[in-house]
Amino acid sequence: MQRIARKLEFPEPQAVATPRTRCLVVDDDVFDRAMLGRCIGKGVTEVEVLEADSIAAARAHLDRVRPDIVLVDHRLPDGHGTEFARELMSDEAFADVLICVVSSVDPSLLDPAVATLPKDALSRVGLTRMVEEFLERRRLSRASADGALVADFGAHVSDSLDAAVARMLRTLRRAKSGARRTIPRSAMNDLDQLEQMLLALSDVRQRVH
């Protein structure tokens, strides 16, 4: 009997898109805008650089997209970059956006509440390090399931340890279920380890009782 080989066809794996980092550079000097764009473009992978020559142009960009980083000069044709930075910092929508003034003005003369880099001494390495450290801190913050575990623990800190551990386990499992496809595998591994630690603590409490 002739054996008929059936060709099995499997769907091609879908490529997972790597989220791009968006950086908005606000500076009325064409050379300085290009310099900042080159610095961050060479140092940070998968970055999209947007340019604006005024605060008004920056606002137009912000109406369409939400950048991860805003680098703004202090002296602009339609206002001071430091004041614009303070405005963005006061908006909750920009709570997880890195906002920094990059200016040739002496930083000691500017608002100390705003992060400032001296343009004259700016280096690609320094700028890249600042951006990468910020992105890593934000990644870890987002991976914590928006602080649900911390909030749950704080709300019930006066309760018995057994009840608190049980609630934390339920909160953790809900967070894992909702974030499994949206956070990096390394962060999910951390949550798995936390669940194992809570289970171990619960087991110890049961033995004590």
Side-chain angles (χ1 to χ4, degrees):
M1 181 180 295
Q2 184 180 7
R3 180 176 295 175
I4 301 176
R6 178 178 297 175
K7 182 180 179 182
L8 298 178
E9 295 183 356
F10 297 95
E12 292 292 330
Q14 297 296 317
V16 178
T18 301
R20 294 178 65 86
T21 298
R22 286 196 180 103
C23 175
L24 174 60
V25 178
V26 188
D27 199 310
D28 61 329
D29 187 287
V30 176
F31 175 81
D32 287 347
R33 282 203 313 273
M35 180 268 293
L36 286 170
R38 285 196 303 272
C39 281
I40 197 165
K42 291 181 179 179
V44 180
T45 58
E46 294 296 326
V47 64
E48 177 185 1
V49 178
L50 308 173
E51 296 185 8
D53 60 2
S54 64
I55 294 175
R59 294 188 194 281
H61 276 299
L62 297 177
D63 286 340
R64 298 190 301 269
V65 298
R66 182 57 41 83
D68 303 283
I69 307 157
V70 176
L71 303 178
V72 55
D73 188 21
H74 176 62
R75 295 190 177 115
L76 293 167
D78 51 353
H80 288 156
T82 304
E83 294 176 1
F84 180 54
R86 282 298 299 267
E87 175 189 331
L88 297 181
M89 292 167 60
S90 65
D91 188 338
E92 291 185 0
F94 294 87
D96 62 349
V97 175
L98 173 60
I99 301 170
C100 182
V101 171
V102 183
S103 177
S104 56
V105 177
D106 186 344
S108 65
L109 302 177
L110 301 178
D111 190 335
V114 179
T116 305
L117 288 177
K119 186 180 293 185
D120 298 337
L122 186 66
S123 70
R124 180 180 62 81
V125 174
L127 180 60
T128 300
R129 183 179 297 114
M130 179 189 73
V131 170
E132 288 182 340
E133 289 179 356
F134 167 78
L135 293 176
E136 178 62 14
R137 287 198 304 270
R138 190 177 69 173
R139 183 189 70 80
L140 293 174
S141 175
R142 288 177 173 179
S144 67
D146 296 329
L149 295 176
V150 176
D152 184 77
F153 180 77
H156 305 287
V157 69
S158 61
D159 291 352
S160 69
L161 179 60
D162 295 330
V165 169
R167 274 190 290 270
M168 290 177 71
L169 273 170
R170 289 196 298 270
T171 303
L172 173 60
R173 287 164 176 165
R174 287 198 302 269
K176 286 175 59 179
S177 177
R180 187 170 298 277
R181 296 183 179 179
T182 60
I183 68 175
R185 182 59 196 170
S186 59
M188 184 59 68
N189 289 339
D190 291 340
L191 295 180
D192 289 338
Q193 291 179 10
L194 178 56
E195 182 178 7
Q196 293 303 316
M197 293 169 61
L198 290 174
L199 288 172
L201 177 59
S202 178
D203 183 57
V204 169
R205 294 292 298 174
Q206 290 177 8
R207 291 178 185 176
V208 172
H209 294 323

